Every structure is written in C-alpha cells, then in structure tokens.
Amino acid sequence: MLKRDRLSIIIVTVLTAGVIYFLTRELRGKGKQLEEALKHLDWRWLLGGLLMMIVSIAFEAVATRVLLNKTDRKNTSFFALLRVPLLNLLGTGVTPFATGGQPAQLYGLARAGVESGRAMSVILMKFLVYQVVVVLFFIVGYIAADTFIYSQVAPTFATFIPFAIAIHAVVIVGIALVMFWPSLTLRLVDFVAPLFKRIMSKQRFESVIATTKQKIDNFHEESRRVISSWQSLVGSSILTMMQLIVFYLIPYFVIRAFGYASVNPWLIVTMNIMIVMVISLFPIPGGVGGAELSFQLLFSPFVKNSATLILVILIWRLITYYFGIFAGIIAYIIPARKNVR
C-alpha cells in the first residue's frame, strides 16, 4: 500500500470519527425522540436499501461487460467483472476527488485478464457515459425541483450547484479529448518523456516509451471500436441509468424504514442527485463531512424528528459509502481465479 493511500485511509478514519462524534453528540438530550424513532423502525426497508446498493453494483458490472469486445466477454466471468465496481468503490472512497476510481478499475480488469490498453479505453468510456448520465439526471432533477430547493433548502447549498455542474462538464470534455484525439496523447508522452530519460538507462527508456506508445495505440483502437458500436454505448447508458436510479433510491428506503410513509420518492431521488453532484466539489476522500452536512440540509424538510434524521444519515452513509469500502477491501484481498490456479 502506498504512503498516500495510508494517508487517505487515516484522513477518512479521523474524519469519520469526527462526524460520528458530532452526530452522536446531537443525540444527547433527545432520548425520547430517539426512542420514538426506533419504535417505528422497520428492518425490512433497511434490508431493501442494502439490496438496492447491491443491485447498483451488479448493474455497474454488467455495464462494464457490455463495453468489452467479444473476446474479452468470452474470457471474463461475471464474478471477475464484479470485482471492478467493488474496487471502484474502494478507490473513490479513499482518495481525494475520487481520483483512485479509474486506477482501481484498471487493476480489476487487468486481474480479470483484459489487456491494459483495452481496459483503459473501456474504463474511460464507462466513466464518460457515467458523467454524461449524471449531468443529464442533474439537469432534469434541478428543473423539476428548483422551486423546492430554493424554498425549503438552505441557500448556501444552492450556491454550490453551478460549480458542481461546471466541474463535471470539464471532466467530460477532458475525457473526450484524450480518447478521440490520439495525437494529443502522444504529444503528452513526448512532453513528459524527458523527465524519465534522466533517471533511466537508454535501453530501458526506449523500451518503456515503445511499450507506452503501443498501449496508447491499443487504447485508441479500442476507443474507436467502442464508439462505433452503438449497441454497446446504448446498452451501457441504459444500464448506467438503472444503476444510478437504484442508487438514488436508497435514502427513500432508509427514510421509509422510520415510518415516513408519505415521503415523495421523486423528491428524495432529486435531492440525492444534488448531493452526488455537490460531493464532487469536496477534496476530502469520500466527501466525509460534506456528504453528511449536505444530506442534513436537503433532507431536513422530509424528516422533522432531528434524532431520526441523524439515524437516517448514519445508516445512509453506512450503506452507500462504508459498505462499498469494506466490500472493495474484500474484493482486493480475494485473488483472481487465474492467480489461484
């Protein structure tokens, strides 16, 4: 494990402890409210929320499989591909701005036997599809619920929304340039190469550059294949939409578990879309602290009991964030079938 990974884990642990301390401190003196909240608790809805998280992971694995070529699909099992979204949850959960998600997925596909150039192309295309779908969901949700957001939610949160949409737009443009402008990628390699030439032998340097450019050629060849296969793109887009809808519904299940039967599922989904967008602004791994605060600001109109709201926040984060980290650690530890053999 790299030093920066250890540092990220330490930061997540410290911030998590601080958030839990802050939230549990808010429960002091609210024994009656807490007792009332637990009296209405229905575990079946909580299990339903956990099931939604598992289904969301499965949809992401299938979306990855759809983007693979026929040979890789044939040689890669579903359980091997299931490792990819789990490692993605681990990578995004412990790195600032979720930057570890793509390297973690690349590692997962490599362990499944997919060549690294093709794997990188599939991962970036999948990430591009994901970003586009997230932005589309945000636009639809924002237009449908802007009145509710500005009338019921703190204005401070609303000011972050334009910055979040701008960041996602820049990411989409950047990925598209790297994937479909081969000369740009090769220029970047030539620009960075002199930095490594000084610390490597001539033979080693030439071998690394040749291998890198070969991987880049494979990467762009696979990118052209994916973009020309509209069935794969449409299938991956539909599966990503289903993945996100299921994921966005998790707070609805958690709130319903505490007896709030009249909550509007569409508004719950819309508020969760806003949270996912705004969390991307926080450089803290997993958005720890920012996610909980955003949830409290957005969902307080739905859950009037403050003790219940704190329990909802803790359970929501346990399902959507910490479950993914622990599952990702298990997926990382378990060796691939080829390695076992």
Side-chain angles (χ1 to χ4, degrees):
M1 185 180 290
L2 298 176
K3 289 184 178 180
R4 65 173 180 269
D5 297 328
R6 295 196 192 103
L7 179 61
S8 295
I9 292 174
I10 292 172
I11 292 174
V12 169
T13 303
V14 172
L15 289 174
T16 298
V19 169
I20 292 175
Y21 171 76
F22 172 76
L23 293 175
T24 52
R25 192 181 67 175
E26 291 292 305
L27 291 174
R28 292 177 185 174
K30 299 177 181 177
K32 291 184 178 180
Q33 291 185 8
L34 184 60
E35 182 180 349
E36 186 68 21
L38 294 175
K39 189 183 298 182
H40 293 91
L41 181 60
D42 188 344
W43 289 96
R44 292 173 297 180
W45 283 99
L46 292 184
L47 291 175
L50 180 59
L51 179 62
M52 290 295 102
M53 184 65 189
I54 295 172
V55 171
S56 175
I57 293 170
F59 274 135
E60 184 176 349
V62 178
T64 304
R65 185 179 186 277
V66 167
L67 290 173
L68 295 175
N69 60 35
K70 292 182 179 179
T71 303
D72 288 331
R73 286 184 208 170
K74 184 179 179 181
N75 297 331
T76 309
S77 68
F78 174 75
F79 290 103
L81 287 175
L82 195 60
R83 187 193 306 271
V84 177
L86 293 177
L87 291 176
N88 182 32
L89 290 171
L90 175 61
T92 56
V94 298
T95 53
F97 289 115
T99 51
Q102 281 65 53
Q105 292 180 78
L106 178 61
Y107 174 73
L109 281 178
R111 288 181 70 176
V114 181
E115 192 273 331
S116 58
R118 298 198 305 271
M120 179 58 74
S121 175
V122 168
I123 289 167
L124 286 181
M125 180 59 71
K126 177 169 153 294
F127 185 60
L128 181 61
V129 169
Y130 176 85
Q131 291 290 325
V132 171
V133 172
V134 164
V135 171
L136 289 177
F137 275 0
F138 169 80
I139 293 173
V140 173
Y142 183 74
I143 292 174
D146 63 329
T147 303
F148 179 86
I149 293 171
Y150 287 100
S151 62
Q152 300 292 331
V153 178
T156 305
F157 181 87
T159 58
F160 285 105
I161 293 177
F163 295 103
I165 194 70
I167 287 178
H168 282 266
V170 169
V171 169
I172 291 172
V173 173
I175 294 173
L177 288 175
V178 171
M179 292 191 70
F180 307 115
W181 192 356
S183 59
L184 173 64
T185 313
L186 293 173
R187 287 175 188 172
L188 289 175
V189 173
D190 293 333
F191 179 77
V192 176
L195 299 177
F196 295 92
K197 190 175 183 179
R198 300 176 182 177
I199 60 175
M200 301 172 69
S201 65
K202 182 179 179 181
Q203 184 178 1
R204 174 64 176 166
F205 173 76
E206 291 176 352
S207 174
V208 169
I209 293 299
T211 303
T212 301
K213 290 188 176 181
Q214 179 62 45
K215 297 291 185 184
I216 291 173
D217 289 338
N218 293 341
F219 166 75
H220 287 295
E221 182 181 351
E222 185 68 9
S223 298
R224 289 191 294 270
R225 181 199 66 79
V226 174
I227 199 66
S228 64
S229 176
W230 64 269
Q231 297 98 329
S232 297
L233 283 176
V234 171
S236 178
S237 299
I238 292 173
L239 287 165
T240 302
M241 288 180 184
M242 295 171 69
Q243 169 202 343
L244 287 172
I245 290 172
V246 168
F247 179 80
Y248 290 145
L249 275 170
I250 293 174
Y252 174 75
F253 281 80
V254 178
I255 292 173
R256 284 297 305 270
F258 287 94
Y260 289 87
S262 60
V263 291
N264 186 333
W266 167 244
L267 273 179
I268 297 295
V269 167
T270 303
M271 295 302 105
N272 204 10
I273 290 173
M274 302 299 146
I275 290 176
V276 171
M277 288 291 291
V278 172
I279 286 177
S280 62
L281 292 174
F282 295 97
I284 303 169
V288 177
E292 290 80 5
L293 177 61
S294 300
F295 194 97
Q296 188 173 21
L297 290 173
L298 286 175
F299 285 90
S300 55
F302 302 99
V303 183
K304 301 298 183 181
N305 186 325
S306 56
T308 302
L309 180 60
I310 293 171
L311 290 177
V312 169
I313 292 173
L314 289 171
I315 296 172
W316 167 69
R317 285 296 269 173
L318 182 63
I319 292 174
T320 59
Y321 179 58
Y322 297 102
F323 171 78
I325 289 180
F326 290 123
I329 292 173
I330 294 173
Y332 177 80
I333 294 173
I334 296 176
R337 290 184 63 186
K338 291 182 180 180
N339 293 342
V340 171
R341 290 172 186 167

